[in-house]
Amino acid sequence: MADKPVLDLLARMTADSFEVSSLEPESIMLVRIAALISVDAPPASYLLNLGMASEMDIDAEQVRAVPRGGRPDCGDGARSVSRGQYRPRTRLGARSC
């Protein structure tokens, strides 16, 4: 199996955040999703975090209830993921079609 240093690092960071926080893991994931919305994160960030949230049995209704900080929308990243329009970036940074 190929090395996945970035994904392994993200997994360790996520596990560490659960261990040191006084929040329940489900609350941590919902706070992370709120943070993604607030910074208009790229679609890949949503995919990673929504995947983890799904593994924790956090459903779509819980995610939709996340406060958007006064924003009427979720930003381009969230819309791309929700509409199935996400196209990963190539190694040079351009969107693939």
Side-chain angles (χ1 to χ4, degrees):
M1 183 173 273
D3 286 337
K4 304 173 299 222
V6 173
L7 291 178
D8 292 342
L9 174 63
L10 291 172
R12 282 194 311 274
M13 288 171 53
T14 300
D16 289 347
S17 70
F18 294 147
E19 289 178 18
V20 300
S21 177
S22 61
L23 294 175
E24 295 293 322
E26 294 81 7
S27 296
I28 293 171
M29 289 309 305
L30 293 172
V31 167
R32 289 176 71 151
I33 292 167
L36 295 175
I37 293 167
S38 72
V39 299
D40 197 18
S45 296
Y46 285 95
L47 290 173
L48 177 70
N49 284 278
L50 290 173
M52 288 188 287
S54 177
E55 290 176 13
M56 301 171 94
D57 294 326
I58 295 173
D59 63 24
E61 288 304 315
Q62 289 172 285
V63 172
R64 285 188 197 104
V66 170
R68 289 172 176 72
R71 294 180 63 162
D73 62 10
C74 291
D76 293 334
R79 280 195 302 274
S80 295
V81 171
S82 68
R83 293 179 185 162
Q85 298 171 336
Y86 172 65
R87 298 290 183 263
R89 292 188 182 274
T90 65
R91 293 177 75 189
L92 299 177
R95 295 263 183 216
S96 59
C97 298

Coordinates of all heavy atoms in Angstrom, one line a residue:
M1 N 0.9 -1.2 0.0 CA 0.0 0.0 0.0 C 0.9 1.2 0.0 O 1.9 1.3 0.7 CB -0.9 0.0 1.2 CG -1.9 1.1 1.3 SD -3.1 1.0 2.6 CE -4.3 0.0 1.8
A2 N 0.5 2.3 -0.7 CA 1.3 3.5 -0.9 C 1.2 4.3 0.5 O 0.3 4.3 1.2 CB 0.7 4.3 -2.0
D3 N 2.3 5.0 0.7 CA 2.4 5.9 1.9 C 1.4 7.0 1.7 O 1.2 7.5 0.6 CB 3.8 6.4 2.0 CG 4.8 5.4 2.5 OD1 4.3 4.4 3.2 OD2 6.0 5.6 2.3
K4 N 0.8 7.4 2.8 CA -0.1 8.5 2.8 C 0.2 9.5 3.9 O -0.5 9.6 4.9 CB -1.6 8.0 2.9 CG -2.0 7.0 1.9 CD -3.4 6.4 2.3 CE -3.3 5.8 3.6 NZ -3.8 4.7 4.0
P5 N 1.4 10.1 3.8 CA 1.8 10.9 5.0 C 0.9 12.0 5.4 O 0.7 12.3 6.6 CB 3.2 11.4 4.6 CG 3.2 11.4 3.1 CD 2.3 10.2 2.7
V6 N 0.3 12.7 4.4 CA -0.6 13.8 4.8 C -1.9 13.3 5.4 O -2.3 13.8 6.5 CB -0.9 14.7 3.6 CG1 -2.0 15.7 3.9 CG2 0.3 15.3 3.0
L7 N -2.5 12.3 4.9 CA -3.7 11.7 5.5 C -3.4 11.1 6.8 O -4.2 11.2 7.8 CB -4.3 10.6 4.5 CG -4.9 11.2 3.2 CD1 -5.4 10.0 2.4 CD2 -6.0 12.2 3.5
D8 N -2.3 10.4 7.0 CA -1.9 9.9 8.3 C -1.7 11.0 9.3 O -2.1 10.9 10.4 CB -0.6 9.1 8.2 CG -0.8 7.8 7.3 OD1 -1.9 7.4 7.1 OD2 0.2 7.2 6.9
L9 N -1.1 12.1 8.9 CA -0.9 13.2 9.8 C -2.3 13.8 10.2 O -2.5 14.1 11.4 CB -0.1 14.3 9.2 CG 0.1 15.6 9.9 CD1 0.8 15.4 11.3 CD2 0.8 16.6 9.1
L10 N -3.2 14.0 9.3 CA -4.5 14.5 9.6 C -5.3 13.6 10.5 O -5.9 14.0 11.5 CB -5.3 14.7 8.3 CG -4.8 15.9 7.4 CD1 -5.5 15.9 6.1 CD2 -4.9 17.2 8.2
A11 N -5.1 12.3 10.3 CA -5.8 11.3 11.2 C -5.2 11.4 12.6 O -6.0 11.4 13.6 CB -5.6 9.9 10.7
R12 N -3.9 11.5 12.8 CA -3.3 11.7 14.1 C -3.7 13.0 14.8 O -4.0 13.0 16.0 CB -1.8 11.6 14.0 CG -1.2 10.2 13.8 CD 0.3 10.2 14.1 NE 1.1 11.2 13.3 CZ 1.5 11.1 12.1 NH1 1.3 9.9 11.4 NH2 2.2 12.0 11.6
M13 N -3.8 14.1 14.0 CA -4.2 15.4 14.5 C -5.6 15.3 15.0 O -6.0 15.8 16.1 CB -4.0 16.5 13.5 CG -2.6 16.8 13.2 SD -2.4 17.9 11.8 CE -3.4 19.3 12.2
T14 N -6.5 14.6 14.3 CA -7.9 14.5 14.6 C -8.0 13.7 15.9 O -8.7 14.1 16.8 CB -8.7 13.9 13.5 OG1 -8.6 14.8 12.4 CG2 -10.1 13.7 13.9
A15 N -7.3 12.6 16.0 CA -7.4 11.7 17.2 C -6.9 12.5 18.4 O -7.5 12.4 19.5 CB -6.6 10.4 16.9
D16 N -5.8 13.2 18.2 CA -5.2 14.0 19.3 C -6.2 15.1 19.8 O -6.3 15.3 21.0 CB -3.9 14.7 18.9 CG -2.8 13.7 18.8 OD1 -2.9 12.5 19.2 OD2 -1.7 14.1 18.2
S17 N -6.9 15.7 18.8 CA -7.9 16.7 19.2 C -9.0 16.1 20.1 O -9.5 16.8 21.0 CB -8.5 17.5 18.0 OG -9.3 16.6 17.3
F18 N -9.4 14.9 19.8 CA -10.5 14.2 20.6 C -9.9 14.0 22.0 O -10.7 14.1 23.0 CB -10.9 12.9 20.0 CG -11.6 13.1 18.7 CD1 -11.5 12.2 17.7 CD2 -12.4 14.2 18.4 CE1 -12.2 12.3 16.5 CE2 -13.1 14.4 17.2 CZ -13.0 13.4 16.2
E19 N -8.7 13.6 22.1 CA -8.1 13.2 23.4 C -7.9 14.4 24.3 O -8.1 14.2 25.6 CB -6.8 12.5 23.2 CG -6.9 11.1 22.6 CD -5.6 10.4 22.4 OE1 -4.6 10.9 23.0 OE2 -5.5 9.5 21.6
V20 N -7.6 15.5 23.8 CA -7.3 16.7 24.7 C -8.5 17.6 24.9 O -8.4 18.5 25.7 CB -6.1 17.5 24.1 CG1 -4.8 16.7 24.0 CG2 -6.4 18.1 22.8
S21 N -9.5 17.4 24.2 CA -10.7 18.3 24.4 C -11.7 17.8 25.4 O -11.8 16.6 25.7 CB -11.4 18.4 23.0 OG -12.6 19.2 23.2
S22 N -12.3 18.7 26.1 CA -13.4 18.4 27.0 C -14.7 18.2 26.3 O -15.7 17.7 26.9 CB -13.5 19.4 28.1 OG -13.9 20.7 27.5
L23 N -14.8 18.5 25.0 CA -16.0 18.3 24.2 C -16.2 16.8 23.8 O -15.2 16.1 23.7 CB -16.0 19.1 23.0 CG -16.0 20.7 23.1 CD1 -15.8 21.3 21.8 CD2 -17.3 21.1 23.8
E24 N -17.4 16.4 23.6 CA -17.7 15.1 23.0 C -17.2 15.1 21.5 O -17.2 16.2 20.9 CB -19.2 14.8 23.0 CG -19.7 14.7 24.4 CD -19.2 13.5 25.1 OE1 -19.0 12.4 24.5 OE2 -19.0 13.6 26.4
P25 N -16.7 13.9 21.0 CA -16.2 13.9 19.7 C -17.2 14.4 18.6 O -16.8 15.1 17.7 CB -16.0 12.4 19.5 CG -15.6 11.9 20.8 CD -16.5 12.7 21.8
E26 N -18.5 14.2 18.8 CA -19.5 14.7 17.9 C -19.5 16.2 17.9 O -19.7 16.8 16.8 CB -20.9 14.1 18.2 CG -21.1 12.6 18.1 CD -20.5 11.8 19.2 OE1 -20.1 12.4 20.3 OE2 -20.4 10.6 19.1
S27 N -19.4 16.8 19.1 CA -19.4 18.3 19.1 C -18.1 18.8 18.5 O -18.2 19.9 17.8 CB -19.4 18.7 20.6 OG -20.6 18.3 21.2
I28 N -17.0 18.2 18.6 CA -15.8 18.6 18.0 C -16.0 18.6 16.5 O -15.6 19.6 15.8 CB -14.6 17.7 18.4 CG1 -14.2 17.9 19.8 CG2 -13.4 18.0 17.5 CD1 -13.2 16.9 20.4
M29 N -16.6 17.6 15.9 CA -16.7 17.5 14.5 C -17.7 18.6 14.0 O -17.4 19.2 12.9 CB -17.3 16.1 14.0 CG -16.3 15.0 14.2 SD -14.7 15.3 13.4 CE -15.2 15.7 11.7
L30 N -18.7 18.9 14.7 CA -19.6 20.0 14.3 C -19.0 21.3 14.4 O -19.2 22.2 13.5 CB -20.9 19.9 15.1 CG -21.8 18.7 14.9 CD1 -22.9 18.6 15.9 CD2 -22.3 18.6 13.4
V31 N -18.1 21.5 15.4 CA -17.4 22.8 15.5 C -16.4 22.9 14.3 O -16.2 24.0 13.7 CB -16.6 22.8 16.8 CG1 -15.6 24.0 16.9 CG2 -17.6 23.0 18.0
R32 N -15.8 21.8 13.9 CA -14.9 21.8 12.8 C -15.6 22.2 11.5 O -15.1 22.9 10.7 CB -14.2 20.4 12.6 CG -13.2 20.2 13.7 CD -12.6 18.8 13.6 NE -11.7 18.7 12.4 CZ -10.7 17.9 12.3 NH1 -10.4 17.1 13.3 NH2 -10.0 18.0 11.2
I33 N -16.8 21.6 11.3 CA -17.6 21.9 10.1 C -17.9 23.4 10.2 O -17.9 24.1 9.1 CB -18.8 21.0 10.1 CG1 -18.3 19.6 9.8 CG2 -19.8 21.5 9.0 CD1 -19.4 18.5 9.9
A34 N -18.3 24.0 11.3 CA -18.6 25.4 11.4 C -17.4 26.2 11.1 O -17.5 27.3 10.4 CB -19.1 25.7 12.9
A35 N -16.2 25.8 11.5 CA -15.0 26.5 11.2 C -14.7 26.5 9.7 O -14.3 27.5 9.1 CB -13.8 25.9 11.9
L36 N -15.0 25.3 9.0 CA -14.8 25.3 7.6 C -15.7 26.3 6.9 O -15.3 26.9 5.9 CB -15.1 23.8 7.1 CG -14.2 22.7 7.5 CD1 -14.7 21.4 7.1 CD2 -12.8 23.0 7.1
I37 N -17.0 26.3 7.3 CA -17.9 27.3 6.7 C -17.4 28.7 6.9 O -17.5 29.5 6.0 CB -19.3 27.1 7.4 CG1 -19.9 25.8 7.0 CG2 -20.2 28.2 6.9 CD1 -21.1 25.3 7.8
S38 N -16.9 29.0 8.1 CA -16.5 30.4 8.4 C -15.3 30.9 7.5 O -15.2 32.1 7.3 CB -16.2 30.6 9.9 OG -15.0 30.0 10.2
V39 N -14.5 30.0 7.1 CA -13.3 30.4 6.3 C -13.5 30.0 4.8 O -12.6 30.2 4.0 CB -12.0 29.8 6.8 CG1 -11.7 30.2 8.3 CG2 -12.0 28.2 6.7
D40 N -14.7 29.6 4.5 CA -15.0 29.2 3.1 C -13.9 28.2 2.6 O -13.3 28.4 1.6 CB -15.1 30.4 2.2 CG -15.8 30.1 0.9 OD1 -16.5 29.1 0.8 OD2 -15.6 30.9 -0.1
A41 N -13.8 27.1 3.3 CA -12.8 26.1 3.1 C -13.0 25.5 1.7 O -14.1 25.4 1.2 CB -12.8 25.1 4.2
P42 N -11.9 24.9 1.1 CA -12.1 24.2 -0.2 C -12.8 22.9 0.0 O -12.9 22.3 1.1 CB -10.6 23.9 -0.6 CG -9.8 24.0 0.7 CD -10.6 24.9 1.6
P43 N -13.4 22.4 -1.1 CA -14.2 21.2 -1.0 C -13.5 20.0 -0.4 O -14.1 19.2 0.3 CB -14.5 20.9 -2.5 CG -14.5 22.2 -3.1 CD -13.4 23.0 -2.4
A44 N -12.2 19.8 -0.6 CA -11.5 18.7 -0.1 C -11.6 18.6 1.5 O -11.7 17.6 2.1 CB -10.1 18.7 -0.5
S45 N -11.6 19.8 2.1 CA -11.7 19.9 3.5 C -13.0 19.4 4.0 O -13.1 18.7 5.0 CB -11.4 21.3 4.0 OG -10.1 21.7 3.7
Y46 N -14.1 19.8 3.3 CA -15.4 19.3 3.6 C -15.5 17.8 3.5 O -16.0 17.1 4.3 CB -16.5 20.0 2.8 CG -16.8 21.4 3.1 CD1 -16.1 22.5 2.5 CD2 -17.7 21.7 4.1 CE1 -16.4 23.8 2.8 CE2 -17.9 23.0 4.5 CZ -17.3 24.1 3.8 OH -17.6 25.4 4.1
L47 N -15.0 17.3 2.4 CA -15.1 15.9 2.1 C -14.4 15.1 3.3 O -14.9 14.1 3.8 CB -14.4 15.5 0.8 CG -15.2 16.0 -0.4 CD1 -14.4 15.7 -1.7 CD2 -16.6 15.3 -0.5
L48 N -13.2 15.5 3.7 CA -12.5 14.8 4.7 C -13.3 14.9 6.0 O -13.5 13.8 6.7 CB -11.1 15.5 4.9 CG -10.3 14.9 6.0 CD1 -9.8 13.5 5.7 CD2 -9.1 15.8 6.3
N49 N -13.8 16.0 6.4 CA -14.5 16.2 7.7 C -15.9 15.6 7.7 O -16.3 15.0 8.7 CB -14.5 17.7 8.1 CG -13.1 18.1 8.6 OD1 -12.8 17.8 9.8 ND2 -12.3 18.7 7.8
L50 N -16.6 15.7 6.6 CA -17.9 15.1 6.5 C -17.8 13.6 6.5 O -18.7 12.9 7.0 CB -18.6 15.6 5.3 CG -19.1 17.1 5.3 CD1 -19.7 17.5 4.0 CD2 -20.0 17.3 6.5
G51 N -16.7 13.1 5.9 CA -16.5 11.6 6.0 C -16.3 11.1 7.4 O -16.9 10.1 7.8
M52 N -15.5 11.9 8.2 CA -15.2 11.5 9.6 C -16.5 11.7 10.4 O -16.9 10.9 11.2 CB -14.2 12.4 10.2 CG -12.8 12.1 9.7 SD -11.5 13.0 10.6 CE -11.7 14.6 9.9
A53 N -17.3 12.7 10.1 CA -18.6 12.9 10.8 C -19.5 11.8 10.5 O -20.2 11.3 11.4 CB -19.2 14.3 10.4
S54 N -19.6 11.3 9.3 CA -20.4 10.2 8.9 C -20.1 9.0 9.7 O -20.9 8.2 10.1 CB -20.4 10.0 7.4 OG -21.1 8.9 7.1
E55 N -18.8 8.7 9.8 CA -18.3 7.6 10.6 C -18.7 7.7 12.1 O -18.8 6.6 12.8 CB -16.8 7.4 10.5 CG -16.3 7.0 9.1 CD -14.8 7.0 9.0 OE1 -14.1 7.1 10.0 OE2 -14.3 6.9 7.9
M56 N -19.0 8.9 12.5 CA -19.4 9.1 13.9 C -20.9 9.1 14.1 O -21.5 9.5 15.1 CB -18.8 10.4 14.5 CG -17.3 10.4 14.4 SD -16.6 12.0 14.8 CE -16.4 11.7 16.5
D57 N -21.6 8.7 13.0 CA -23.1 8.7 12.9 C -23.7 10.1 13.1 O -24.8 10.3 13.6 CB -23.7 7.8 14.0 CG -23.4 6.3 13.7 OD1 -23.3 6.0 12.5 OD2 -23.2 5.6 14.7
I58 N -23.0 11.2 12.6 CA -23.5 12.5 12.5 C -24.3 12.6 11.2 O -23.7 12.3 10.2 CB -22.4 13.6 12.6 CG1 -21.8 13.5 14.0 CG2 -23.0 15.0 12.3 CD1 -20.6 14.4 14.2
D59 N -25.5 12.9 11.3 CA -26.3 12.8 10.0 C -26.4 14.2 9.3 O -26.0 15.2 9.9 CB -27.7 12.2 10.3 CG -28.6 13.1 11.2 OD1 -28.3 14.3 11.4 OD2 -29.5 12.5 11.8
A60 N -27.0 14.2 8.2 CA -27.1 15.4 7.4 C -27.9 16.5 8.1 O -27.5 17.7 8.0 CB -27.7 15.1 6.0
E61 N -28.9 16.2 8.8 CA -29.7 17.2 9.6 C -28.8 17.9 10.6 O -29.0 19.1 10.8 CB -30.9 16.5 10.2 CG -32.0 16.2 9.2 CD -32.4 17.3 8.3 OE1 -32.7 18.4 8.9 OE2 -32.6 17.1 7.1
Q62 N -28.0 17.1 11.3 CA -27.1 17.8 12.3 C -26.1 18.7 11.6 O -25.8 19.8 12.1 CB -26.3 16.7 13.0 CG -27.2 15.9 14.0 CD -26.4 14.7 14.6 OE1 -26.2 13.8 13.9 NE2 -26.0 14.9 15.8
V63 N -25.6 18.3 10.4 CA -24.7 19.2 9.7 C -25.4 20.4 9.2 O -24.9 21.6 9.3 CB -24.0 18.4 8.6 CG1 -23.2 19.4 7.7 CG2 -23.1 17.3 9.1
R64 N -26.6 20.3 8.7 CA -27.4 21.5 8.2 C -27.7 22.4 9.3 O -27.9 23.6 9.1 CB -28.7 21.0 7.6 CG -28.5 20.4 6.2 CD -29.8 20.1 5.5 NE -29.6 19.2 4.4 CZ -30.0 17.9 4.4 NH1 -30.6 17.4 5.5 NH2 -29.7 17.2 3.4
A65 N -27.8 21.9 10.6 CA -28.1 22.8 11.7 C -26.9 23.6 12.2 O -27.0 24.4 13.1 CB -28.7 22.0 12.8
V66 N -25.7 23.3 11.7 CA -24.5 24.0 12.1 C -24.7 25.5 11.8 O -25.0 25.9 10.7 CB -23.2 23.5 11.4 CG1 -22.0 24.4 11.7 CG2 -23.0 22.1 11.9
P67 N -24.4 26.4 12.8 CA -24.5 27.8 12.5 C -23.5 28.3 11.5 O -22.4 27.8 11.4 CB -24.1 28.5 13.9 CG -24.4 27.4 14.9 CD -24.1 26.1 14.2
R68 N -24.0 29.2 10.6 CA -23.2 29.7 9.5 C -22.6 31.1 9.7 O -22.2 31.7 8.8 CB -24.0 29.6 8.2 CG -24.3 28.2 7.8 CD -25.2 28.1 6.6 NE -25.4 26.8 6.2 CZ -26.0 25.8 6.8 NH1 -26.6 26.1 8.0 NH2 -26.1 24.6 6.3
G69 N -22.6 31.5 11.0 CA -22.0 32.8 11.3 C -22.6 34.0 10.5 O -21.9 34.9 10.1
G70 N -23.9 33.9 10.3 CA -24.6 35.0 9.6 C -24.6 34.9 8.1 O -25.1 35.7 7.4
R71 N -23.9 33.9 7.6 CA -23.8 33.7 6.1 C -25.0 32.9 5.6 O -25.4 31.9 6.2 CB -22.6 32.9 5.8 CG -21.3 33.6 6.1 CD -20.1 32.8 5.7 NE -20.2 32.6 4.3 CZ -19.1 32.2 3.6 NH1 -18.0 32.0 4.1 NH2 -19.2 32.0 2.3
P72 N -25.7 33.4 4.6 CA -26.9 32.7 4.1 C -26.6 31.5 3.4 O -27.4 30.6 3.2 CB -27.6 33.7 3.2 CG -26.4 34.6 2.8 CD -25.5 34.7 4.0
D73 N -25.3 31.4 2.9 CA -24.9 30.2 2.1 C -23.8 29.5 2.9 O -23.4 29.9 4.0 CB -24.5 30.6 0.7 CG -23.2 31.5 0.7 OD1 -22.6 31.7 1.8 OD2 -22.9 32.0 -0.3
C74 N -23.3 28.4 2.3 CA -22.2 27.7 3.0 C -20.9 27.9 2.3 O -19.9 27.3 2.7 CB -22.5 26.2 2.9 SG -23.8 25.7 3.9
G75 N -20.8 28.8 1.3 CA -19.6 29.0 0.6 C -19.4 28.1 -0.6 O -20.1 27.1 -0.7
D76 N -18.5 28.4 -1.4 CA -18.3 27.6 -2.6 C -17.9 26.2 -2.4 O -18.4 25.3 -3.1 CB -17.2 28.3 -3.5 CG -17.7 29.6 -4.1 OD1 -18.9 29.8 -4.2 OD2 -16.8 30.5 -4.4
G77 N -17.1 26.0 -1.4 CA -16.6 24.6 -1.1 C -17.7 23.7 -0.7 O -17.9 22.6 -1.2
A78 N -18.6 24.1 0.2 CA -19.7 23.3 0.7 C -20.7 23.1 -0.5 O -21.2 22.0 -0.6 CB -20.4 24.0 1.8
R79 N -21.0 24.1 -1.3 CA -21.9 24.0 -2.4 C -21.4 23.0 -3.4 O -22.1 22.1 -3.9 CB -22.2 25.3 -3.0 CG -23.2 26.2 -2.3 CD -23.7 27.3 -3.2 NE -22.6 28.1 -3.7 CZ -22.1 29.2 -3.0 NH1 -22.6 29.5 -1.8 NH2 -21.1 29.9 -3.5
S80 N -20.1 23.0 -3.7 CA -19.5 22.1 -4.6 C -19.7 20.6 -4.2 O -20.0 19.7 -4.9 CB -18.0 22.4 -4.8 OG -17.8 23.6 -5.4
V81 N -19.4 20.4 -2.9 CA -19.6 19.0 -2.3 C -21.0 18.6 -2.4 O -21.3 17.5 -2.8 CB -19.0 19.0 -0.9 CG1 -19.3 17.6 -0.3 CG2 -17.5 19.2 -1.0
S82 N -21.9 19.5 -1.9 CA -23.3 19.1 -1.8 C -24.0 18.8 -3.2 O -24.9 18.0 -3.3 CB -24.1 20.1 -1.0 OG -24.2 21.3 -1.7
R83 N -23.5 19.5 -4.2 CA -24.0 19.3 -5.5 C -23.3 18.2 -6.3 O -23.6 18.0 -7.5 CB -23.9 20.6 -6.3 CG -24.8 21.7 -5.8 CD -24.7 23.0 -6.6 NE -25.4 24.0 -6.0 CZ -25.3 25.3 -6.2 NH1 -24.3 25.7 -7.1 NH2 -26.0 26.2 -5.6
G84 N -22.3 17.6 -5.7 CA -21.5 16.6 -6.4 C -20.7 17.2 -7.5 O -20.3 16.5 -8.5
Q85 N -20.3 18.5 -7.4 CA -19.5 19.2 -8.5 C -18.1 19.3 -8.2 O -17.3 19.8 -8.9 CB -20.1 20.6 -8.7 CG -21.5 20.6 -9.2 CD -22.0 22.0 -9.2 OE1 -21.6 22.9 -8.4 NE2 -23.1 22.2 -10.0
Y86 N -17.7 18.7 -7.0 CA -16.2 18.8 -6.6 C -15.4 18.1 -7.6 O -15.6 16.9 -8.0 CB -16.0 18.2 -5.2 CG -14.6 18.1 -4.9 CD1 -13.8 19.3 -4.7 CD2 -14.0 16.9 -4.7 CE1 -12.5 19.2 -4.4 CE2 -12.7 16.9 -4.3 CZ -11.9 18.0 -4.2 OH -10.6 17.9 -3.8
R87 N -14.3 18.7 -8.1 CA -13.3 18.2 -8.9 C -12.0 18.4 -8.2 O -11.6 19.5 -8.0 CB -13.3 18.8 -10.3 CG -14.6 18.7 -11.1 CD -14.7 17.2 -11.5 NE -15.9 17.0 -12.3 CZ -17.1 16.6 -11.9 NH1 -17.3 16.4 -10.6 NH2 -18.1 16.5 -12.7
P88 N -11.3 17.3 -7.9 CA -10.0 17.5 -7.2 C -9.0 18.3 -8.0 O -9.0 18.3 -9.2 CB -9.5 16.1 -7.0 CG -10.6 15.2 -7.3 CD -11.6 15.9 -8.1
R89 N -8.1 19.0 -7.3 CA -7.1 19.7 -8.0 C -6.0 18.8 -8.5 O -5.7 17.8 -7.9 CB -6.5 20.7 -7.1 CG -7.4 21.9 -6.7 CD -6.7 22.9 -5.9 NE -7.6 24.0 -5.5 CZ -7.9 25.0 -6.3 NH1 -7.4 25.1 -7.5 NH2 -8.7 25.9 -5.8
T90 N -5.5 19.1 -9.6 CA -4.3 18.3 -10.1 C -3.1 18.7 -9.4 O -3.1 19.6 -8.6 CB -4.1 18.6 -11.7 OG1 -3.7 20.0 -11.8 CG2 -5.4 18.3 -12.5
R91 N -2.0 18.1 -9.7 CA -0.7 18.4 -9.0 C -0.3 19.9 -9.2 O 0.4 20.5 -8.4 CB 0.4 17.5 -9.4 CG 0.1 16.1 -9.0 CD 1.1 15.1 -9.4 NE 2.3 15.3 -8.7 CZ 3.5 14.7 -9.0 NH1 3.6 14.0 -10.0 NH2 4.5 14.9 -8.2
L92 N -0.7 20.5 -10.3 CA -0.4 21.9 -10.6 C -1.3 22.9 -10.0 O -1.2 24.1 -10.2 CB -0.2 22.0 -12.1 CG 0.9 21.2 -12.7 CD1 0.9 21.4 -14.2 CD2 2.3 21.5 -12.1
G93 N -2.4 22.4 -9.4 CA -3.4 23.3 -8.8 C -4.6 23.6 -9.6 O -5.5 24.3 -9.1
A94 N -4.6 23.2 -10.9 CA -5.8 23.5 -11.7 C -6.9 22.5 -11.4 O -6.6 21.3 -11.1 CB -5.4 23.5 -13.2
R95 N -8.1 22.9 -11.6 CA -9.2 22.0 -11.4 C -9.2 21.0 -12.6 O -9.1 21.3 -13.7 CB -10.5 22.7 -11.3 CG -10.7 23.6 -10.2 CD -11.4 22.9 -9.1 NE -11.6 23.8 -8.0 CZ -11.5 23.5 -6.7 NH1 -11.3 22.2 -6.4 NH2 -11.7 24.3 -5.8
S96 N -9.5 19.7 -12.2 CA -9.7 18.7 -13.2 C -11.1 18.7 -13.7 O -12.0 19.1 -13.0 CB -9.3 17.3 -12.7 OG -10.0 17.0 -11.6
C97 N -11.4 18.4 -14.9 CA -12.7 18.4 -15.5 C -13.4 17.1 -15.4 O -12.8 16.1 -15.4 CB -12.7 18.9 -16.9 SG -12.0 20.6 -17.0

